[in-house]
Amino acid sequence: MPSVLRNEDLKEMLESSKESLKLEAMKRIVGLIAKGKSASELFPAVVKNVASKNIELKKLVYVYLVRYAEEQQDLALLSISTFQRALKDPNQFIRASALRVLSSIRVPIIVPIMMLAIKEAAADLSPYVRKTSAHAIQKLYSLDPDQKEQLIEVIEKLLKDKSTLVAGSVVMAFEEVCPDRIDLIHKNYRKLCNLLVDVEEWGQVVIISMLTRYARTQFTSPWMEGAEFDENKAFYDSDSEEKKDQTEAKPYVMDPDHRLLLRNTKPLLQSRNTAVVMAVAQLYWHLAPKHEVSIVTKSLVRLLRSHREVQYIVLQNIATMSIQRKGMFEPFIKSFYVRSTDATHIKTLKLEILTNLANEANISTILREFQTYVKSQDKAFAAATIQAIGRCATNISEVTDTCLNGLVLLLSNRDEAVVAESIVVIKKLLQTQPTQHGDIIKHMAKLFDNVTVPMARASILWLMGEYCEKVPKIAPDVLRKMAKTFTAEEDIVKLQTVNLAAKLYLTNSKQTKLLTQYILNLGKYDQNYDIRDRTRFIRQLIVPNEKSGALSKYARRILLAPKPAPVLESAFKDRDRYQLGTLSHSLNLKATGYQELPDWPAVAPDQSVRNVEIVEPQRIKADLFWVSNVHCPCVCTESGSESEEESSEDSEKTSSDSGKSSSGSEKSSSESESDQKKKKKTKKAQQKKNKPAADRYAEIPAVCHTGFGSFLPKLEFITIMISFFYDFFFFCQHCLFPQNDSKNPTFRTSGISLFHMSFQVTTSSFGPLKTYELLHHMTGKGLSAKYHFPRQPCLYQPSMVAVQVILTNSSDHALEEIHIGDQSPASLNIHCFNTIERLEPGASVTVSMGIDFSDSTQAANFQLCTKEDQFSVSIQPAVGELLMPSTMTEQDFCKEQGKLQGMNETSATITMATANASRQAINKQVLSVANVGEVPSSQNNFSRFGGRTVSSRALVLLSLELSESSGALLTINTEKSVMASMLLRDLKQALAQA
Amino acid sequence: MNHSQGFLKDIQISCLVVGWLLSNTASIILSFRVWGGQSMTDSAPSWFFYSAEMIHSLFLINHLGDIFLEKHWKSVISRSVCDYFFEAREKAVDPENVPPVLQTPHHYLISIYRGKLFFLSVIQTEVPPLFVIEFLHRVADTFQDYFGECSESVISDNLVIVYELLEEMLDNGFPLATESNVLKEMIRPPNILRSVVNTLTGGSNVGETLPQGQLSNIPWRRAGVKYANNEAYFDVTEEIDAIVDKSGTTVSAEIQGVIEACVKLSGMPDLTMSFMNPRLLDDVSFHPCVRFRRWESERVLSFIPPDGNFTLMTYHISSQNLVAIPVYVKQSINFFEAGSCGRLDITIGPKQTMGKTVEDLKVTIHMPKAVLNANLTATQGNYTYDCTTKMLVWDIGKLNPQKLPNLRGSLSMQTGVPNPEENPSLNIDLKIQQLAISGLKVSRLDMYGEKYKPFKGVKYVTKAGKFQVRT
């Protein structure tokens, strides 16, 4: 046989010593596999080359192995040792690909080996290898489900991973192996939410769908019961999330974690990946308060411009959504207009949506569109349009008559399909208001001879029977005609003929008795047993004889009972039982493995399960440069201990030390983006050679930097920083005790205390924002400006105070080229906002600036210019805004306070308003005045706050000692004594106020 | 079926009556219902039987219905599964009309149609269909990127590279590496010189190391990029989708814009692009490299670009906005009952062109079946009529406002066939260079992070997208 012969020659090539021949042979073999031809007899010859040095050859062998290992299990085992060796390779790429292939070989006997490999890879330093191990988990699970328990352990471990690379894959494994173990997610929930934007697109889809389910089990429903919701109103102001949060004075309060999920998924609506956009859309649909759902509309409409297949799925989902929420898509109705070039199923879906969106206001436009569609050359589509017109007619009573007249006109159409469909639809419409339409019924009776489509004929017959009293002369004649052609008709027409006969017999037996008998006799011997059945039944019911008992008395009532008009419903009416965006939704049937979305719990489960034990806000010193200096895991022990010494030395120094070796974290939490970038680069340069050990950390600063790190609100940012240090500990442990890392809790705690770091954590510096006026619109010729201090680290330079300016155009013309002009004093360092090219009337825009006040309350004067005018304005900061919070322990606070005695101390006794007696009230007042951080205090009558001046980073320590009465002793320790006295004055005033 | 509701009522009534007469039958029906109800709850989904595997196998099928490539990421699925697809393909007549999602007794089939090829994936369990569709399109895009086109011949010629690509793009049915920059480092695209060298030396197309991008947080960019000439070009392309009705009023019009970039810059450049009028853009989607928060707060695009060609962003200006329509069409198409002929008269003129020239003007009409031939004269350009596809194409070229192009003449019709109900609609193609019809303008492009001075360029072009004139 020729194929065997050819394979012989391939075998020869594989056994030759020439690499190029082997490669050529493998390429041809892969060609065979791709074409679906068998190449299994070459297995022994191929498997020998698994250890080849040539990477391409090796890869092709892998392809072959994965394809045929199942068939040749014994021979496949020969290759296993090669993979085991490769799993220990120093090159992460080789480790990962070895694991990939090993786990793809579906040979049950190697399950233990795979298990071991997965466990090792899950603890690998390279996130890429860890990602591969997450994929391997699924493969092993499908090979041997008994391994579930052990695999769950690995999943649990990998879920803790902070790498964005791993997150998507491990959630995928979780979904496959143990989707019921919701408890594994709790602790990782917030982390997953925060990492989401930086995860690769495919992982995002998986994580979003998992979190949708999670949220449905953990949070209470945001859809208030009974509260009828004004769709339109909310549609217009749903953009402002803040507004919503404030107005929630109702009993329902959204769990902050629920809000976190909604907030963090929102930017993904801008993804280029249609699956991600759809995933977010379904998340909002299933989780968001009703009035927020509409923010997904625009993005979904955008997807309609994508490929045909994408359109199909998106339109299906919009169809389901538009039934429940017309208002969401109504403004975009024109986007659903049909083009003659659309594929038929796209046209039908658009039609469905247009029908769903029809209401009194837009029906005339929609009907005009429909008129065009009815004439379409695509007859299936024209027929669907007629049905749609019928639906509009029943749903909107104003247009019923118009639609009916239109449909009657269509009865004279040349195309039979159109006529038939019109008849069917008219039949349904007539049922809704039968009284006035005798004429139409007559008209249809006339048409009867020309109509051949069975469904249409049956419809006319039914109408005749049902309204036979309105057309007493015509109906018997139609029956007569039917009697002639009965045997040649379709089943459905025959059934209706029998029906018509029965009804006429009851109402007009004089004329039709014989006809009915004749038809019943024909039906009795029909081929179809349904018709025989029906005939027999009807005969018993209507023809009186001795045996027919009580029933025939009621025959009239049974057959001529008034029938409720059919409700013309959307085909998508019941699709909402499936989660949007799923395969099941698309097919409208439950696909294998479809998980129903759980209903909201009545009472939310414990929220605290999601709290992550935060490393005590203690001071940890982490030297990033040290990380990058580590050469490889084997020398870690050594360098690890070095660093211990180093860092314990460092811990003696005060945290104001701003030298290069002081904590990288402090910098990165406050530094501007550009600085971070620089640092990352220097780090990168150092890393290049030491990749294996360092690459696990390379991504951490990157998290802050790419994506949107620098713009994250402070808290999120810090979460990331904390997670980074978590990782760092694991790393150290790993280095020091590579064998039994996770089993050494004592080391772990001691490890933490060994490191010394001082990073700024802000817990509660969000006071109410005070807004100040910068420029009144009267003086600004229509331009008004307000500013406030957002109390966030300034993006531009660490020594600057961030200021946000809200510019509003209250004039009646657009303002152009709004920018900052001359500044005074000249030494003042201001980071201006980018020139605003154009501000429309009534519009406003928020811009951020950075101003270095050099720790003085001297006002920053500058000119706010438009194209035509210049306005001098000034920003005078309150002294409290020149600070930034610093978190420290009570001991540190006392220690530092001890160093700032004498002339560095300012104190005063103040009288407090009674309302400020509680600790919370005090905190609130202090934080509203000054941007400082609270220091945990063990004494009840002491409140302590720590901060630094933004520009020179001098410590500012505030302590407030409450005495018996309403008096208190306020002490401020800082080098900046001028600031201290000003701060004292401000605080005194604030605390005295109620 | 909605149609049969009226009859159903009748049948239901008869059923009940029968049930009343024959109480035995009724109890059978009843017990059947109970059993049916139970089985429903039994098969209700539980967390436990869920398996989240994604794409199981991929088949590439040409327009003749031959499977010319198959790839399985798990156990092998017989290609007979495709028969269900062929059945649907047969039924749909036009390949465009094949439903993208199909169900077979044991599998689900999700397919896309690109470049006369079907990419058919076999799925075994619940998965978001868009996930698969998006991935399949990404595969097609990658082939396009690697081989310059996505056709059967080119895929068959590069079967090994295709196989290697598929191997890297999906692991166990889950996407692994889909970024073109990453893939190109692992598997080099073919070029003539290298393939000659490779055959001589036995060298390979496969990269030796893991791309750095895969590990960093900038997976889209290659590391160590070096160019002698550093340049960054951006093409702003806008397509007008419009429906214009018989009387010339715009029924709906929207703009679909895209900024394609070709960036060849060394090192790790950090670019910032700002617009003269960013307010125009209210619905955008970005390449993952764009920092979204920066856009939110300052309306500038800040990004570290991938190396080479990529789509930076797309935007959509919806039909709620006022969209300029560059040309108007005066047309009359009539079919006469007597003499089985028709008349056609089309004139095109400039409407809102912002002072630019309209080029590559083309009108395509899909004639009704009854039209046998066309006998027309064009004052400008050429026309062709294909009797089999019934496509009339009038290629006009540049639009001269002084002398408007006109196409007129008669259509010969099949005799004995009723006249077409509807006049065919006209599809317009056009191009306007150096204009973004929405008025969008890039004001500046700044580069940070690198020392050299790059060459920068922005080009604008407006095209007709789905531009349809109803008649």
Side-chain angles (χ1 to χ4, degrees), chain B residues 323-390:
Chain B
V323 173
I325 304 289
V327 292
Y328 71 86
V329 179
K330 270 207 292 213
Q331 45 77 28
S332 84
I333 302 177
N334 296 306
F335 301 113
F336 304 114
E337 200 76 55
S340 64
C341 69
R343 280 209 67 78
L344 178 144
D345 190 340
I346 303 172
T347 310
I348 298 190
K351 202 172 171 187
Q352 290 156 292
T353 57
M354 323 280 170
K356 306 270 190 213
T357 327
V358 180
E359 295 169 42
D360 294 356
L361 195 58
K362 198 165 93 178
V363 181
T364 313
I365 310 172
H366 190 187
M367 286 291 178
K369 283 199 197 76
V371 177
L372 289 178
N373 215 337
N375 184 14
L376 310 166
T377 31
T379 59
Q380 186 187 340
N382 304 311
Y383 82 94
T384 52
Y385 183 64
D386 185 334
C387 321
T388 45
T389 57
K390 307 285 176 196

Side-chain angles (χ1 to χ4, degrees), chain A residues 128-148:
Chain A
Y128 184 70
V129 177
R130 296 203 297 277
K131 182 188 176 75
T132 321
S133 83
H135 286 230
I137 288 173
Q138 305 163 55
K139 299 185 217 170
L140 179 54
Y141 180 65
S142 60
L143 185 64
D144 181 7
D146 292 343
Q147 303 295 318
K148 189 173 172 180

Side-chain angles (χ1 to χ4, degrees), chain B residues 222-235:
Chain B
R222 292 198 289 136
V225 183
K226 273 210 180 74
Y227 287 103
N229 295 323
N230 289 295
E231 43 195 22
Y233 297 108
F234 296 88
D235 285 345

Side-chain angles (χ1 to χ4, degrees), chain A residues 478-510:
Chain A
V478 172
L479 187 67
R480 183 185 56 80
K481 283 185 194 158
M482 281 314 295
K484 276 200 269 183
T485 57
F486 186 82
T487 45
E489 297 290 346
E490 288 279 329
D491 289 346
I492 187 166
V493 184
K494 285 176 179 171
L495 281 176
Q496 287 312 314
T497 313
V498 173
N499 252 346
L500 173 64
K503 285 173 185 167
L504 284 176
Y505 182 88
L506 290 174
T507 52
N508 186 3
S509 64
K510 211 163 54 179

